[in-house]
Amino acid sequence: MQTRDTAEVIRRFNQAFEQHDPAAFEDLVAPDCVMESIQPAPNGTRYEGYDVNLTFWQAMAADRVNRFEVEDILVMGDRANIRWRFHFGEGGSLRGVSLIRVHNGRIVEALAYAKIPGQSAPLPD
């Protein structure tokens, strides 16, 4: 049952971005929600509480120039992994993943990570 509830919250979350519907987030964000954005690299910014997370996601959803494209979703109990691509208007894009936890039908945690251009890490041969 939890997986189905989580899947529905994630469906509505992604739909809010796809349809540029800021109001949809009002019923999706938990009062004690914690979110970590991808910027500034490497650790992002931590946002705590309903108001700040609602404002952040509503601003992203209202943006009609840039957009999210969901590439894959995996739901396991109260957790979901969303692999996405963020498109910068008609320009480039950025790939990333959001690790989300849902409790009582609302998002309580959303941690975002992205592939960003930068110096290559030294890898073993």
Side-chain angles (χ1 to χ4, degrees):
M1 183 69 168
Q2 178 66 45
T3 298
R4 192 171 350 158
D5 295 342
T6 301
E8 177 60 15
V9 168
I10 298 306
R11 183 194 68 75
R12 290 173 48 213
F13 180 75
N14 289 328
Q15 185 178 45
F17 287 115
E18 291 168 0
Q19 295 180 354
H20 301 281
D21 181 9
F25 293 99
E26 293 173 10
D27 296 331
L28 295 174
V29 180
D32 57 346
C33 182
V34 173
M35 188 259 294
E36 292 180 0
S37 69
I38 64 169
Q39 295 177 346
N43 296 322
T45 301
R46 184 175 176 91
Y47 298 90
E48 297 182 20
Y50 178 85
D51 292 333
V52 69
N53 283 291
L54 179 64
T55 299
F56 185 95
W57 284 327
Q58 284 182 327
M60 288 189 81
D63 183 351
R64 297 219 174 241
V65 175
N66 304 304
R67 66 180 174 83
F68 275 102
E69 172 189 356
V70 174
E71 294 183 335
D72 188 49
I73 301 170
L74 176 64
V75 176
M76 306 148 295
D78 66 344
R79 298 180 183 270
N81 297 347
I82 305 170
R83 193 176 72 227
W84 46 262
R85 183 179 295 270
F86 187 77
H87 295 272
F88 303 101
E90 298 299 320
S93 67
L94 173 74
R95 293 185 76 201
V97 63
S98 292
L99 310 176
I100 298 182
R101 190 165 53 90
V102 173
H103 181 71
N104 289 333
R106 293 187 181 242
I107 297 170
V108 294
E109 184 177 62
L111 309 175
Y113 302 91
K115 290 184 174 187
I116 57 172
Q119 187 174 357
S120 297
L123 300 175
D125 290 332

